[in-house]
Amino acid sequence: MGVLYDNLKEYDRSGMQYMKFLEICGKMNDHGGAALAFNCLGIAFYLMALQEQKGRQENLKKSLIYHKKHRDMGDATGKSIAHTNLGIIFDLLGDLEKGSSNHESALHHAIRAGDRHLQAVAVGHLGLSGCACKDYDTARACMEKYLELTSQLGEIEAREHALLHLGYIAKQQGDGKSAVAYYHAGLDSAIASQNSKNISKAKVQIGIIMGNTLLEDQMEKISAAFAR
């Protein structure tokens, strides 16, 4: 029932169902079920926070409580998922240091679990954390690893996101040539997968960079003409 209400975006009602499920798990001494319930509750409060501005901070803090409980009960896979969720929420709360720390822990546990998908998710979030902190060297290294893992896993849309983010990072670093190359690669992939949203994003960014390059070239020509 909780999943059904989630699909209907009635997260307050789904939360009530997950609480009932948690109570049953407690009576049956089902630790695996309880860990799942805590994860679902954390997600429900997170989605409530995204759905409504009213009570947003309170719902995010409730989400933190349940994801921490999931972290404490979970195996390596569960801990990786919980730390990723915690990192996302701390990022939303503006605590980038705690967000990054949790994404690092998520990567550590994903490696322990031998789960390459979760490794990709964690290292991708570390790349985004680097961008948020304007640490573009770290962001680029993490996003390049994210690109490598998503390519190996055949996760096409995630790979496109990696290429577009790398284009953004290279642009911020003043590396226009690499930025255009990343955006072109993302565009080619988006065209092949018929992802219209990513096609639009890539085309816009390529246009901006090429436009800026042409403007800079023109200004250099004008300056050279006046210098004669």
Side-chain angles (χ1 to χ4, degrees), residues 6 40 49 66 82 99 106 127 132 135 145 150 172 175 180-182 190 213 223:
D6 278 342
C40 291
Y66 289 116
D135 181 359
K145 185 63 178 178
T150 53
Q172 297 305 308
D175 185 357
V180 169
Y182 281 127
T213 301
S223 297

Side-chain angles (χ1 to χ4, degrees), residues 136-152:
Y136 295 114
D137 289 339
T138 297
R140 189 163 180 170
C142 291
M143 204 56 69
E144 284 172 349
K145 185 63 178 178
Y146 181 55
L147 174 62
E148 177 188 331
L149 288 169
T150 53
S151 297
Q152 291 172 354

Side-chain angles (χ1 to χ4, degrees), residues 1 11 17 43 46 52 54 61 64 72 77 93 97 118 122 133 142 169 171 175 205 213 223 226:
M1 287 296 292
Y11 304 119
Q17 296 300 317
I43 291 171
Y46 164 75
E52 296 182 20
K54 184 180 179 181
K61 288 175 181 177
L64 285 176
D72 294 342
T77 297
L93 289 169
E97 185 176 345
L118 289 178
C133 297
C142 291
I169 293 165
K171 181 182 172 185
D175 185 357
Q205 292 303 320
T213 301
S223 297
F226 277 108

Side-chain angles (χ1 to χ4, degrees), residues 9-27:
K9 298 184 179 180
E10 297 181 18
Y11 304 119
D12 54 339
R13 298 180 77 176
S14 69
M16 291 171 62
Q17 296 300 317
Y18 294 134
M19 286 298 294
K20 290 179 181 178
F21 176 55
L22 178 62
E23 184 179 350
I24 293 169
C25 290
K27 289 178 180 178

Side-chain angles (χ1 to χ4, degrees), residues 27-44:
K27 289 178 180 178
M28 296 178 65
N29 203 28
D30 182 352
H31 294 291
L36 175 61
F38 284 133
N39 180 52
C40 291
L41 281 163
I43 291 171

